Amino acid sequence: LLELTTALLKDRIRIYPISETMRNNPLLKCLLALLVCSSLKAEQPAPGKVSEQSFKVSAKQTIPYLFSLPKEYDPSSKKKWPVMLFLHGRGESRGPLSIVAKWGPPRMAQRGDNLPYILIAPQCPAESRWTDDDQQAGVLKLLDHITTTFPADTTRIYLTGLSMGGYGTWKMAAENPDRFAAVSPICGRGNPADAAKLVDVPIWVFHGTEDTAVLYRHSDEMVKAIRKAGGKKVRFTTLQHVGHNSWSAAYATPELYQWFNKHKTENQK
């Protein structure tokens, strides 16, 4: 019991040597058992519930993230689940981790919607952006961690993000076009020079014509560049008379999830 407790808690508290007298103390054994149970419970998020987690990428980088498993998730089953990676906007960097559930898929999961995905929603530090190389690399390592820890269908990893997260979505998809089965950048901005990398990626773009924070033309230019490069898998929903908040309409579109669900990659196992 002592060895198990030490193994579980070594990264959380400092472990001091325990004398033989203390080792045989019934009260101490009881306390250690409670600590073990508490730790094990923390490692098993409840299906259908949003939990706050953190992933240590390196000594200098730890990523806090919201996480949820499908309501029907059964750890004893061999079923593999699709994964949805969500990148929030700038506003959700400023505040506690729970603020990430303000919009999009985390909000849906938080209110109890039945999302059939393993949902990962990391939080970007206020001093960083999703397009920063260290944030991109860290999120991909978090994705690797989740897909190896839980029964994930790696042929069905979906990427989406809004505003700043839309910027991050475009970049991550362009740098990892074989990783994601389908991608939905909402009111974001990509680099038209990356168009050739994205011709084979199913993409559904949303943007409001009256957006003054991230101009509509940025999405329009990306879609045109991909199509000019030969891409035929890109869709573009123009939201007339809508400002920056195009994500409320986008994530409330049932067809978006139907579209995600029908796509899978061919090269993942």
Side-chain angles (χ1 to χ4, degrees), residues 54-55 57 63-65 85 120-122 137-147:
S54 66
F55 175 68
V57 178
I63 300 178
Y65 64 100
L85 175 60
I120 313 167
V139 169
L140 288 172
K141 288 181 180 179
L142 169 61
L143 179 60
D144 289 339
H145 167 69
I146 296 297
T147 56

Side-chain angles (χ1 to χ4, degrees), residues 14-15 30 45 69 96 135 138 173 191 196 211 223 236 256 264:
R14 182 175 295 176
I15 304 298
C30 232
L69 295 166
Q135 293 301 317
N191 183 353
D211 193 339
V223 171
F236 188 16
L256 174 62
K264 62 189 300 184

Side-chain angles (χ1 to χ4, degrees), residues 175-254:
E175 295 301 317
N176 305 272
D178 297 327
R179 186 73 187 270
F180 302 103
V183 175
S184 183
I186 299 170
C187 61
R189 181 180 182 178
N191 183 353
D194 289 333
K197 301 176 183 178
L198 295 164
V199 294
D200 293 321
V201 180
I203 302 172
W204 191 344
V205 184
F206 291 80
H207 214 129
T209 58
E210 306 305 311
D211 193 339
T212 57
V214 181
L215 299 181
Y216 169 84
R217 67 178 175 83
H218 295 313
S219 285
D220 188 47
E221 289 170 355
M222 281 301 297
V223 171
K224 287 178 178 176
I226 293 169
R227 288 173 176 166
K228 185 177 180 180
K232 297 180 179 180
K233 298 181 179 181
V234 59
R235 298 178 61 169
F236 188 16
T237 295
T238 295
L239 297 168
Q240 297 290 343
H241 312 298
V242 172
H244 191 46
N245 183 358
S246 50
W247 54 83
S248 289
Y251 290 124
T253 304

